[in-house]
Amino acid sequence: MRVGLGTDRHRLEPGLPLVIGGHQLPEAPVGCVAHSDGDVLLHALTDALLGAIAAGDIGELFPDTDPRWAGAASELFVKEALRLAREAGWTLANLDATVHLQHVKLRDHKAAIRSSLARLTGLDQGAVGLKAKTGESVGPVGRGEAIDALVVVLLTRSEP
Ligand code: MG
């Protein structure tokens, strides 16, 4: 078995799309400043997958200086990390994610985000954990300046 940990943070500003786990929150008053679509959860998931197979990090594979990734759907990053894991002989068994966000309540979006993650990864929804927390009104998250995500994955050896 292999475990992988990924984290990410993006700055929030008004008037930008807020995409979390491949699900766009239509009424969100703020969104992520980013080179890609700024999906903080998928970026953390990508890093967790890459970490589990010791294949570097998202910045090495998809540099934010590369125009190919401008506005890119972050699903691309996850799919490539999953492909690399499969190629190395590993299968994703489950993922567990936490999102820290102050001013946008995720309660009504958690089911849609979990569905999106399950579709993207091929996992059963029962293997996709998602928790939402505020920033307790302190720090960059608590002041509404940033969104954070943490993801842990477990990989198991693929059948020969
Ligand atoms: Mg990112």
Side-chain angles (χ1 to χ4, degrees):
M1 290 183 289
R2 291 284 182 85
V3 68
L5 168 67
T7 74
D8 197 30
R9 166 175 292 181
H10 279 267
R11 200 152 46 79
L12 295 170
E13 279 186 7
L16 294 170
L18 183 61
V19 187
I20 301 177
H23 169 72
Q24 183 163 352
L25 284 68
E27 79 292 7
V30 291
C32 290
V33 179
H35 185 63
S36 67
D37 66 4
D39 193 323
V40 70
L41 180 42
L42 294 192
H43 294 179
L45 173 57
T46 301
D47 261 351
L49 290 164
L50 294 175
I53 58 168
D57 63 36
I58 191 169
E60 290 172 37
L61 267 72
F62 311 103
D64 63 7
T65 50
D66 188 331
R68 275 184 301 167
W69 313 123
S74 298
E75 295 197 6
L76 283 177
F77 309 150
V78 174
K79 284 180 178 160
E80 175 63 6
L82 282 168
R83 191 190 66 76
L84 290 170
R86 259 196 310 274
E87 197 174 78
W90 298 97
T91 300
L92 179 62
N94 80 304
L95 73 88
D96 187 21
T98 301
V99 176
H100 296 260
L101 179 62
Q102 185 71 38
H103 294 307
V104 182
K105 287 280 168 264
L106 291 184
R107 190 184 310 119
D108 297 337
H109 298 282
K110 283 163 93 177
I113 294 169
R114 287 181 64 224
S115 292
S116 172
L117 290 169
R119 178 188 53 78
L120 181 59
T121 57
L123 289 170
D124 291 336
Q125 288 212 31
V128 178
L130 176 65
K131 289 89 63 194
K133 304 180 85 74
T134 70
E136 287 290 330
S137 299
V138 295
V141 171
R143 289 190 298 269
E145 297 166 3
I147 178 173
D148 283 0
L150 295 89
V151 176
V152 171
V153 297
L154 184 76
L155 307 186
T156 52
R157 206 69 185 146
S158 306
E159 292 298 320

